[in-house]
Amino acid sequence: MADTPRARALAKELRAARFATGLTARELSRMLGWSEAKVSRLETARRGIHVESVEAILKALKVNRSERERLVKLAREIREPAWWEVGREIPEQLTALLDAEQRAKRITSVQLNLVPGLLQTREYTRQIMTSSELDDDTADARVEIRMKRQEVLHRRNIVRLRAFLDEAVFFRPIGGSLVMAEQMRHLLKVSESSNVEIRVLPRTIGAHAGMSGAFLLFEFDRSRPVVHIEARRSGAFIDAPEDVGLFLGSVETLESQASDPGASRAIILSYLEKYESEAT
């Protein structure tokens, strides 16, 4: 499978491994008995990546054992399509986001108006989807995709999620009091997980570093961090170090501005009590 986000990530690592040895693509191709064009296609994800080819490259480059095993494992995973690549109609702009969620070691979400997708309840998500003028079948499919995405928080190699939520997220009664009460209970439950940290930006602080817009920051084991900004029908990744650095700076500032996890839970609990009282 060529030219997918995962294939491009592996191709980039193979290229970096060759650069580290000082070999040119021509020199590597001669060592392997391949054409230079074949090496080029593998290093740019323009050719289907086979495990055997990856093993041959890593052996020729004398990559150490642990790194070799990691990259071979990644190559095997590429040959096995991810869940969103099999039998599902996924909007094209979502595929790179899904891949980033799967590969990340830590995700930082900054939200001003909505609970992050990875922390939404099914009914909260459904209310958002149906308000977007989607037909019932499409809305149902989108809800299922979002629920499936949340599995990254529970897999064996779990991702760490840090969510900064403006208190305004809790003001708007999406779906009404019953839906909001359920969503508040869910936030309290997931905040007890060792890999999930929820930090509320209380309205009492006024302006804060996240007010310029919502975003997702992805950090990886072997790649530079990237930022994802979502628009109505599309999304954009930012990966230039100087640009990503601005978002890293914002996150650092938000750390000092947000309530600590305990105080954040207290704020969420107050909204749970509010919506529960309204629902009775």
Side-chain angles (χ1 to χ4, degrees):
M1 183 176 297
D3 201 25
T4 66
R6 288 185 297 169
R8 289 195 292 272
L10 176 57
K12 183 177 181 180
E13 297 219 42
L14 293 176
R15 193 162 60 249
R18 176 174 62 77
F19 288 162
T21 67
L23 288 173
T24 65
R26 176 173 297 180
E27 290 168 336
L28 178 59
S29 66
R30 287 174 178 170
M31 292 173 64
L32 295 167
W34 298 347
S35 68
E36 185 177 352
K38 178 178 178 178
V39 171
S40 176
R41 288 193 296 270
L42 285 167
E43 290 188 351
T44 54
R46 286 181 292 136
R47 181 188 182 95
I49 295 180
H50 295 276
V51 175
E52 296 79 7
S53 297
V54 172
E55 289 177 327
I57 289 174
L58 298 175
K59 183 178 179 181
L61 295 176
K62 294 183 172 57
V63 172
N64 67 63
R65 181 177 177 178
S66 62
E67 184 70 355
R68 186 168 66 247
E69 289 177 349
R70 183 182 70 83
L71 293 175
V72 169
K73 179 176 181 291
L74 179 56
R76 289 197 180 99
E77 291 172 349
I78 288 172
R79 302 302 299 174
E80 300 172 2
W83 62 263
W84 64 87
E85 298 170 329
V86 183
R88 292 178 180 269
E89 292 186 5
I90 307 294
E92 184 177 352
Q93 69 270 16
L94 266 184
T95 58
L97 175 61
L98 295 170
D99 185 75
E101 286 177 346
Q102 294 289 315
R103 294 189 296 109
K105 69 175 182 180
R106 182 162 74 166
I107 301 172
T108 300
S109 174
V110 177
Q111 280 289 345
L112 305 178
N113 300 305
L114 294 171
V115 171
L118 292 177
L119 298 178
Q120 291 175 6
T121 63
R122 180 179 293 273
E123 192 54 38
Y124 185 95
T125 299
R126 187 179 302 280
Q127 292 294 324
I128 294 170
M129 296 303 176
T130 55
S131 70
S132 301
E133 301 179 352
L134 299 174
D135 61 70
D136 289 344
D137 289 343
T138 302
D140 287 345
R142 298 287 177 86
V143 171
E144 292 304 320
I145 290 169
R146 187 157 295 182
M147 295 301 102
K148 183 71 174 178
R149 286 169 56 191
Q150 294 179 3
E151 292 181 6
V152 298
L153 299 177
H154 310 292
R155 67 191 184 194
R156 181 179 301 176
N157 184 24
I158 58 176
V159 65
R160 302 189 67 82
L161 174 64
R162 174 177 51 177
F164 292 98
L165 306 183
D166 192 298
E167 190 176 349
V169 168
F170 310 133
F171 294 171
R172 190 179 301 278
I174 292 175
S177 297
L178 284 174
V179 172
M180 289 300 292
E182 180 189 30
Q183 180 64 72
M184 296 304 103
R185 282 192 290 270
H186 182 65
L187 290 177
L188 289 171
K189 180 180 178 180
V190 295
S191 69
E192 296 174 351
S193 304
S194 61
N195 62 312
V196 176
E197 179 182 349
I198 298 177
R199 305 282 301 277
V200 176
L201 294 153
R203 56 183 174 177
T204 53
I205 68 172
H208 57 73
M211 294 190 71
S212 58
F215 63 89
L216 289 165
L217 169 67
F218 294 97
E219 296 173 84
F220 308 98
D221 279 325
R222 303 283 177 170
S223 304
R224 294 197 308 257
V226 298
V227 170
H228 182 264
I229 298 176
E230 187 174 351
R232 182 174 175 82
R233 295 184 59 84
S234 63
F237 276 96
I238 298 171
D239 60 2
E242 60 272 22
D243 294 329
V244 173
L246 297 176
F247 290 91
L248 290 170
S250 292
V251 169
E252 185 175 344
T253 303
L254 288 171
E255 286 275 11
S256 64
Q257 294 175 327
S259 297
D260 63 37
S264 295
R265 283 178 56 84
I267 293 171
I268 296 170
L269 179 59
S270 71
Y271 281 93
L272 170 59
E273 294 170 344
K274 170 184 181 296
Y275 287 118
E276 283 183 332
S277 67
E278 292 176 357
T280 56

